[in-house]
């Protein structure tokens, strides 16, 4: 307690060095010190003028928070959206109005003359705002007092718009502190004004996606701090895009190497024509990425000119059809670079390589027409050009010239048109032919079976008509046949089908009919993917024993009958999809005899191991997501899906013995009874769907130990009791349990009262034990009968 003024003074003297100094430090660390700086009046007025310009003629559409005293930001322009101020001075330093007018219908001739009041501005972004008009050169100062829209109706709107843009650029060129200027994605036209070169602090200039014309001003070569210059997608007749570091580059290609020693990204495109001088690359030692995509360039570009560019990582010369790329001359050149991406046209010197046996250029983004000249090389054995941008018709110029061709892979390109009818005659020794995921059409040539073809993949094209009869007759030696995702018609497995060597059959989505029982002649089959067709056989009589079967996928057909017990003898079976058919009957309790489903480590199929070049992809549904499974992933996937059928009866207790299953889907059937407690033993189960059945009883508590369970649906049954709240269950949403009025707890938001918490189930069981046997049987019959 302070008893005197003197005592009070002495006490205060000791307080100041402690708590008060701490308070001062906290205030100072807030960034503004004692005074909270607000925006300056003249800058606020300038921004409101800009807002008026944006909203003209549609009043009040843009920037509603600017100058609105009813909002939290109020009159302090430093708090307005898109505005950043300097904490110490309160001056506006950044304006970001990107896409503010992207939804407007009319173009914008901006009245941004008030930018002259924002002398401290460092960043200005007006991209994607439908700004029109030119960026003219010439005398600009005479309009500096024009700040409002004219009221005289006879003033020509176009002339006024021109004047505003004219003065706008003049003002920008006087913003000496500007570091970033973004006017991209607008409708600006005319040449690039050289006055922009007066912005000595500029580090980034983006004028891309406009309609600018002419050359890049020569003064751009004198920039000292410009790091990024983006002029992409204009009508500029020299460089189209430069990403620079530290130094800038002149506008003409011959002078690039003179002033761009630190250039990292160089793109030559648009209307650039003529030849590329090799001298331009001599000093670009920092270059990492080079793109050349002008079709008007010509001459020869030798790869050896890049020899000293040790940092070069990406080279894209996939366009530029007039350019000839020479990768060999001189013979003794050695690159100092290590490329990660190379996209080029096929080198023309390949046509002269008469002893070439193997050519593999997959995934290199080659943009060219089909190299038909290679097919005239009688020594060529293996050609792999998959996953490129090769386009054009499949033409065969040289009859029987490629007599030694063993493998051709042209998948994942842009080939179109029909295959030649006599294609099989041109390649008498062809064993592997892949041309999937192109745009080919017309009938499938029957000549493909005239020789030694063993593997054929024509999937994901537009082939039509019927599958040639020769494909399924006894003269074929196919071990792998994939014609899925085409527009075929008729029977794809006719009554006289006989393919004894067939191992993989993929005919998904071909809209075809067939006799599924005929696959019994193909005892070596280990993959059948025939989903989304029109097979209508009685499955219980048509499915033969296929001892090596690993993947059997027949979703969305019209198969009827019972699930045959033949399946239980397929010991290597891993993925079985019979969803979306008309199957009835019960779930065979013998499924646990399938050894690959009983163990976490499936049995190896000897046919799969010896399948050679077969690399099948099968579309399977797991975790509520249909996705392609390929190679090793397909090999390790274990799945049972009999959803969307008419299966009834109960889930057999033996289901828990399928400890190797990762996905189980029994949804949309007529299954009754309890969820077996043994299901908790399926410890690697990742997806479980039992929804839309007639299941009753409680959710087995042991299911909380299914630690791998990622998706679960028990919706729309007659389940009751408490939803477990341990293990993976808290991660499941309400939709996993909806449609079960008797369920309570999280997440269905129904509280568990004493009569609805599952304890009544226990009570009923205790009462049942005290009930005489004949009454107990009668009560169970009433509870679980279909009546």
């Amino acid at each position: 307690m302070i008893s005197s003024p003197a005592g009070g003074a002495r006490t205060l003297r000791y307080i100041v060095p402690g708590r008060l100094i701490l308070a001062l430090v906290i205030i100072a660390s807030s960034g503004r010190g004692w005074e909270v700086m607000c925006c300056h009046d003249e800058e606020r007025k300038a921004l409101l003028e800009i807002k008026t310009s944006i909203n003209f003629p549609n009043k009040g559409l843009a920037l509603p928070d600017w100058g609105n005293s009813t909002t939290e930001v109020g009159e302090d322009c430093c708090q307005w959206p898109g505005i950043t101020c300097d904490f110490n001075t309160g001056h506006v330093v950044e304006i970001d109005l990107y896409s503010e007018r992207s939804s407007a219908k009319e173009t914008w001739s901006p009245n941004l003359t008030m930018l002259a009041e924002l002398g401290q501005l460092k960043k200005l972004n007006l991209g994607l705002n439908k700004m029109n008009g030119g960026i003219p050169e010439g005398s600009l100062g005479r309009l500096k007092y024009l700040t409002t829209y004219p009221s005289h109706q006879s003033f020509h709107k176009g002339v006024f718009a021109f004047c505003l843009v004219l003065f706008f650029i003049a003002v920008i060129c006087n913003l000496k502190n500007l570091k970033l200027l973004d006017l991209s994605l607008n409708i600006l036209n005319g040449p690039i004004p050289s006055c922009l070169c007066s912005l000595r602090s500029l580090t980034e200039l983006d004028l891309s996606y406009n309609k600018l014309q002419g050359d890049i001003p020569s003064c751009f070569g004198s920039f000292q701090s410009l790091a990024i210059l983006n002029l992409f997608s204009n009508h500029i007749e020299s460089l189209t895009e430069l990403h620079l570091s530290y130094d800038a580059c002149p506008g003409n290609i011959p002078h690039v190497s003179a002033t761009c020693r630190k250039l990292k990204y160089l793109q030559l495109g648009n209307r650039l024509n003529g030849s590329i001088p090799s001298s331009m690359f001599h000093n670009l030692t920092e270059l990492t990425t080079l793109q050349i995509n002008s079709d008007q360039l010509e001459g020869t570009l030798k790869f050896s000119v890049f020899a000293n560019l040790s940092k070069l990582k990406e080279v894209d010369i996939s366009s530029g059809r007039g350019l000839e790329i020479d990768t060999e001359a001189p013979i003794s050149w050695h690159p100092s670079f290590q490329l990660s991406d190379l996209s080029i046209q096929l080198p023309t010197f390949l046509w002269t390589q008469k002893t070439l046996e193997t050519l593999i250029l997959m995934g290199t983004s080659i943009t060219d027409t089909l190299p038909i000249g290679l097919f005239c090389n009688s020594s060529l054995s293996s050609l792999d050009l998959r996953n490129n941008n090769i386009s054009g018709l499949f033409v065969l110029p040289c009859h029987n010239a490629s007599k030694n061709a063993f493998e051709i892979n042209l998948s994942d390109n842009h080939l179109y048109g029909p295959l030649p009818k006599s294609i099989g005659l041109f390649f008498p020794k062809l064993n592997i032919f892949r041309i999937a995921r192109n745009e080919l059409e017309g009938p499938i040539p029957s000549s493909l079976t005239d020789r030694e073809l063993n593997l054929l993949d024509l999937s994901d094209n537009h082939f039509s008509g019927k599958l040639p009869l020769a494909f399924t007759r006894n003269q074929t030696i196919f071990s792998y046949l994939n014609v899925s995702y085409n527009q075929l018609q008729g029977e794809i497995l006719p009554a006289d089908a006989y393919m004894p060597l067939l191992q993989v059959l993929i005919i998904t989505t071909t809209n075809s009919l067939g006799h599924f029982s005929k696959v019994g002649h193909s005892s070596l089959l280990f993959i059948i993917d025939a989903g989304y067709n029109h097979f209508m056989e009685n499955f219980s009589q048509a499915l033969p024993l296929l001892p090596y079967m690993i993947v059997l996928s027949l979703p969305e057909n019209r198969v009827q009958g019972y699930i045959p017990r033949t399946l239980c003898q397929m010991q290597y079976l891993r993925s079985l999809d019979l969803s979306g058919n008309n199957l009835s009957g019960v779930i065979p309790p013998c499924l646990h005899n399938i050894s690959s489903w009983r163990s976490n480590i499936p049995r190896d199929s000897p046919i799969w191991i010896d399948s050679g070049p077969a690399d099948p992809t099968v579309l399977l549904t797991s975790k509520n997501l249909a996705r392609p499974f390929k190679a090793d992933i397909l090999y390790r996937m274990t799945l049972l899906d009999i959803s969307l059928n008419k299966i009834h009866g109960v889930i057999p207790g033996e289901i828990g013995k399928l400890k190797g299953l990762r996905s189980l889907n029994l949804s949309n059937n007529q299954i009754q009874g309890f969820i077996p407690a043994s299901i908790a033993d399926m410890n690697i189960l990742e997806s479980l769907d039992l929804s839309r059945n007639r299941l009753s009883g409680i959710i087995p508590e042991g299911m909380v130990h299914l630690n791998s369970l990622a998706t679960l649906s028990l919706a729309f049954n007659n389940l009751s009791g408490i939803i477990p709240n341990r293990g993976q269950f808290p991660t499941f949403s309400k939709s996993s349990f909806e449609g079960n009025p008797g369920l309570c707890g999280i997440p269905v938001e129904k509280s568990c009262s004493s009569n609805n918490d599952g304890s009544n189930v226990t009570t009923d069981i205790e009462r049942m034990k005290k009930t005489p046997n004949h009454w107990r049987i009668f009560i169970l019959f009433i509870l679980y009968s279909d009546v």
Side-chain angles (χ1 to χ4, degrees), residues 215-229:
D215 291 327
I216 300 174
S218 59
C219 65
F220 274 32
S222 62
F223 274 121
Q224 297 300 316
S225 58
L226 189 65
I228 297 176
L229 170 62

mmCIF file of all heavy atoms in Angstrom, residues 215-229:
data_model
loop_
_atom_site.group_PDB
_atom_site.id
_atom_site.type_symbol
_atom_site.label_atom_id
_atom_site.label_comp_id
_atom_site.label_asym_id
_atom_site.label_seq_id
_atom_site.Cartn_x
_atom_site.Cartn_y
_atom_site.Cartn_z
ATOM 1 N N ASP A 215 7.628 -6.042 -82.261
ATOM 2 C CA ASP A 215 8.827 -6.604 -81.643
ATOM 3 C C ASP A 215 8.925 -6.214 -80.179
ATOM 4 O O ASP A 215 8.288 -5.261 -79.725
ATOM 5 C CB ASP A 215 10.075 -6.121 -82.371
ATOM 6 C CG ASP A 215 10.172 -6.705 -83.765
ATOM 7 O OD1 ASP A 215 9.717 -7.859 -83.957
ATOM 8 O OD2 ASP A 215 10.684 -6.013 -84.633
ATOM 9 N N ILE A 216 9.756 -6.937 -79.464
ATOM 10 C CA ILE A 216 10.079 -6.551 -78.098
ATOM 11 C C ILE A 216 11.001 -5.333 -78.163
ATOM 12 O O ILE A 216 11.982 -5.338 -78.914
ATOM 13 C CB ILE A 216 10.773 -7.697 -77.355
ATOM 14 C CG1 ILE A 216 9.866 -8.922 -77.316
ATOM 15 C CG2 ILE A 216 11.176 -7.294 -75.956
ATOM 16 C CD1 ILE A 216 10.522 -10.139 -76.735
ATOM 17 N N PRO A 217 10.718 -4.262 -77.426
ATOM 18 C CA PRO A 217 11.578 -3.072 -77.472
ATOM 19 C C PRO A 217 13.031 -3.432 -77.171
ATOM 20 O O PRO A 217 13.325 -4.208 -76.254
ATOM 21 C CB PRO A 217 10.991 -2.160 -76.388
ATOM 22 C CG PRO A 217 9.568 -2.591 -76.275
ATOM 23 C CD PRO A 217 9.571 -4.065 -76.522
ATOM 24 N N SER A 218 13.932 -2.853 -77.961
ATOM 25 C CA SER A 218 15.357 -3.165 -77.789
ATOM 26 C C SER A 218 15.873 -2.749 -76.424
ATOM 27 O O SER A 218 16.840 -3.326 -75.910
ATOM 28 C CB SER A 218 16.166 -2.468 -78.888
ATOM 29 O OG SER A 218 15.962 -1.061 -78.833
ATOM 30 N N CYS A 219 15.214 -1.737 -75.795
ATOM 31 C CA CYS A 219 15.672 -1.283 -74.484
ATOM 32 C C CYS A 219 15.494 -2.334 -73.404
ATOM 33 O O CYS A 219 16.054 -2.216 -72.314
ATOM 34 C CB CYS A 219 14.946 0.007 -74.092
ATOM 35 S SG CYS A 219 13.154 -0.201 -73.839
ATOM 36 N N PHE A 220 14.691 -3.387 -73.693
ATOM 37 C CA PHE A 220 14.506 -4.440 -72.692
ATOM 38 C C PHE A 220 15.829 -5.121 -72.359
ATOM 39 O O PHE A 220 15.982 -5.722 -71.304
ATOM 40 C CB PHE A 220 13.498 -5.479 -73.189
ATOM 41 C CG PHE A 220 12.064 -5.115 -72.896
ATOM 42 C CD1 PHE A 220 11.652 -3.791 -72.876
ATOM 43 C CD2 PHE A 220 11.125 -6.094 -72.644
ATOM 44 C CE1 PHE A 220 10.356 -3.452 -72.616
ATOM 45 C CE2 PHE A 220 9.801 -5.765 -72.386
ATOM 46 C CZ PHE A 220 9.413 -4.440 -72.357
ATOM 47 N N GLY A 221 16.782 -5.016 -73.271
ATOM 48 C CA GLY A 221 18.072 -5.634 -73.006
ATOM 49 C C GLY A 221 18.880 -4.920 -71.947
ATOM 50 O O GLY A 221 19.884 -5.447 -71.470
ATOM 51 N N SER A 222 18.456 -3.712 -71.544
ATOM 52 C CA SER A 222 19.206 -2.946 -70.549
ATOM 53 C C SER A 222 18.649 -3.091 -69.146
ATOM 54 O O SER A 222 19.163 -2.478 -68.209
ATOM 55 C CB SER A 222 19.211 -1.464 -70.940
ATOM 56 O OG SER A 222 17.882 -0.938 -70.952
ATOM 57 N N PHE A 223 17.590 -3.876 -68.976
ATOM 58 C CA PHE A 223 17.067 -4.108 -67.632
ATOM 59 C C PHE A 223 18.146 -4.735 -66.758
ATOM 60 O O PHE A 223 18.832 -5.662 -67.169
ATOM 61 C CB PHE A 223 15.861 -5.055 -67.672
ATOM 62 C CG PHE A 223 14.540 -4.379 -67.926
ATOM 63 C CD1 PHE A 223 13.771 -4.729 -69.008
ATOM 64 C CD2 PHE A 223 14.075 -3.403 -67.059
ATOM 65 C CE1 PHE A 223 12.550 -4.124 -69.239
ATOM 66 C CE2 PHE A 223 12.859 -2.794 -67.282
ATOM 67 C CZ PHE A 223 12.092 -3.141 -68.387
ATOM 68 N N GLN A 224 18.264 -4.255 -65.546
ATOM 69 C CA GLN A 224 19.264 -4.783 -64.636
ATOM 70 C C GLN A 224 18.677 -5.760 -63.622
ATOM 71 O O GLN A 224 19.381 -6.616 -63.114
ATOM 72 C CB GLN A 224 19.947 -3.626 -63.888
ATOM 73 C CG GLN A 224 20.708 -2.683 -64.803
ATOM 74 C CD GLN A 224 21.814 -3.390 -65.560
ATOM 75 O OE1 GLN A 224 22.555 -4.181 -64.998
ATOM 76 N NE2 GLN A 224 21.913 -3.110 -66.862
ATOM 77 N N SER A 225 17.374 -5.613 -63.308
ATOM 78 C CA SER A 225 16.790 -6.429 -62.232
ATOM 79 C C SER A 225 15.652 -7.309 -62.692
ATOM 80 O O SER A 225 15.109 -8.073 -61.898
ATOM 81 C CB SER A 225 16.288 -5.510 -61.099
ATOM 82 O OG SER A 225 15.331 -4.587 -61.590
ATOM 83 N N LEU A 226 15.248 -7.217 -63.964
ATOM 84 C CA LEU A 226 14.110 -8.008 -64.439
ATOM 85 C C LEU A 226 14.427 -9.498 -64.353
ATOM 86 O O LEU A 226 15.428 -9.956 -64.900
ATOM 87 C CB LEU A 226 13.770 -7.627 -65.880
ATOM 88 C CG LEU A 226 12.463 -8.209 -66.430
ATOM 89 C CD1 LEU A 226 11.268 -7.651 -65.669
ATOM 90 C CD2 LEU A 226 12.333 -7.923 -67.911
ATOM 91 N N ALA A 227 13.578 -10.233 -63.632
ATOM 92 C CA ALA A 227 13.782 -11.676 -63.458
ATOM 93 C C ALA A 227 12.837 -12.490 -64.316
ATOM 94 O O ALA A 227 13.184 -13.561 -64.789
ATOM 95 C CB ALA A 227 13.593 -12.056 -61.987
ATOM 96 N N ILE A 228 11.611 -12.000 -64.515
ATOM 97 C CA ILE A 228 10.614 -12.756 -65.283
ATOM 98 C C ILE A 228 9.957 -11.832 -66.288
ATOM 99 O O ILE A 228 9.412 -10.791 -65.923
ATOM 100 C CB ILE A 228 9.543 -13.374 -64.364
ATOM 101 C CG1 ILE A 228 10.166 -14.394 -63.415
ATOM 102 C CG2 ILE A 228 8.453 -14.043 -65.191
ATOM 103 C CD1 ILE A 228 9.191 -14.980 -62.420
ATOM 104 N N LEU A 229 10.014 -12.219 -67.561
ATOM 105 C CA LEU A 229 9.315 -11.511 -68.624
ATOM 106 C C LEU A 229 8.463 -12.525 -69.355
ATOM 107 O O LEU A 229 8.987 -13.467 -69.948
ATOM 108 C CB LEU A 229 10.312 -10.863 -69.592
ATOM 109 C CG LEU A 229 9.722 -10.280 -70.883
ATOM 110 C CD1 LEU A 229 8.739 -9.169 -70.565
ATOM 111 C CD2 LEU A 229 10.824 -9.782 -71.800
#
